[in-house]
Amino acid sequence: MDEHTLLQATALRLTALEDLRSPIVVCNEAHRFMVAEQLQAIGMTPDAILLEPVARNTAPAIATAALAALGLCDENDEPILLVMPTDHVVRDNKKFARAVQEAVQEAASGKLVAFGATPEYAETGYGYIKAGSATDTGKSTRVVEAFVEKPSHEEAVALIEAGNCYWNSGIFVFSARQYLEELDCHAASIRESAQKAHENAKQDLNFLRLDAKYFAEAPNLSVDYAVMERTSNAVMVPFAAGWSDIGSWAALVELSAPAEKDEAGNVVQGDAVLQDTHDTYVRAESRVVAALGVTNLVIVDTPDALLVADKNATQDTRKVVEQLKQAGRNEHRYHRKVYRPWGHYEQVDNGEGFQVKRLTIRPGGQLSLQMHRHRAEHWVVVRGTAKVTRGEETFMLSENQSTYIPQGTRHRLENPTEEILDLIEVQSGDYLGEDDIVRFEDIYGRADPKSSQE
């Protein structure tokens, strides 16, 4: 939505609140370096980054965060969790902060608090909360009558007209201990799996790797289904702070300010040329996009893929992902840009027996001392200064200089300066997979053979 990623915007939302510890982040292990880098960029150091070895829903993730919170506090403390997904937009942080303050008071008395966003239209992509009577005079908190799954359009209209229904924002506040006790009552297998996964977790740099065996045993349930729909302690705090979970590309159009739309109702991000085009959203990340004589489309062109969809169909993008999975393709799994502890690389080109990457190494970063059995590499420095170890020799390369790493040769690449190092890497050989790495030394603790693909 602006210069910050949604993850960064979620973390910055905390600055409007008081008496908070640093956040606990739960993410897939494949995203760990990206998460750490983005938080570092806004000057935020989390209390913990918990790594999920396999994808699970929100109930197990929150359980591990609750256990981590209890471990970070004194034995007699009662930590209260503010649970926030990182793919949301909240346009008024002050209103959100006031809602959190009221929710914390309810959580301190043993309630599990859901946040109900004031609905702006009959959205079929959100769940709803039916609110009952107020819990106390002078407060806005309401008893939860029911949670409603994503409705049809007709059902959504009826819910809005009823006047007591709110969008289920997926944001919650509750005591860490209370949440775990509710799991014991309603989803004991989640509590047991999360407990064992946390007890057997391994520290890896600044990350905590949850045990893969035990975490995979956790049922794949949302916090709504596992706890909130079953507990007798659920209440809801309504808030009107301009919330959206950006559940589709079309939602970005709804969130765009009027000034961002042209006279034909189009919203453009990036380099685009439009002719006779109306009510269309265009996002061009890497090249010029031309739209001619179209209406009501979403066009998203990224280095990974191109999406062209009717606005009314963008909620079904997940069906495309499922089709890619069933076809055994990899586009749903891998991005062209891949983050590593030393920086990131981006695939530029590939073909039979070769591939080209652009490596960006942050100041002080260094790749492991490694060897490839099946490929050779050519490095060309385009910005900065590189320190290269090749076999028994060590030397420096500056801009426009290059070197060759023969197949089977131990080598390391470092950035010894305080400036970014960019270089082009050309790989050639009969096998170019990321698992063709034998590590001998690594400052990031990846010399273990089990981590060869990371």
Side-chain angles (χ1 to χ4, degrees), residues 369 379 387-396 403-406 409-414:
L369 179 64
W379 295 340
K387 180 180 178 181
V388 177
T389 298
R390 184 180 61 186
E392 299 300 321
E393 58 180 331
T394 299
F395 52 92
M396 308 295 287
T403 190
Y404 170 64
I405 310 296
T409 301
R410 293 193 183 199
H411 60 277
R412 191 202 314 262
L413 180 63
E414 304 176 51

Side-chain angles (χ1 to χ4, degrees), residues 93 153 185 309 323:
N93 284 342
H153 179 72
C185 294
Q323 188 172 344

Side-chain angles (χ1 to χ4, degrees), residues 267-274 281-289:
V267 177
V268 173
Q269 293 182 322
D271 189 6
V273 178
L274 276 57
Y281 173 83
V282 180
R283 183 185 184 96
E285 293 190 0
S286 58
R287 56 185 171 177
V288 64
V289 170

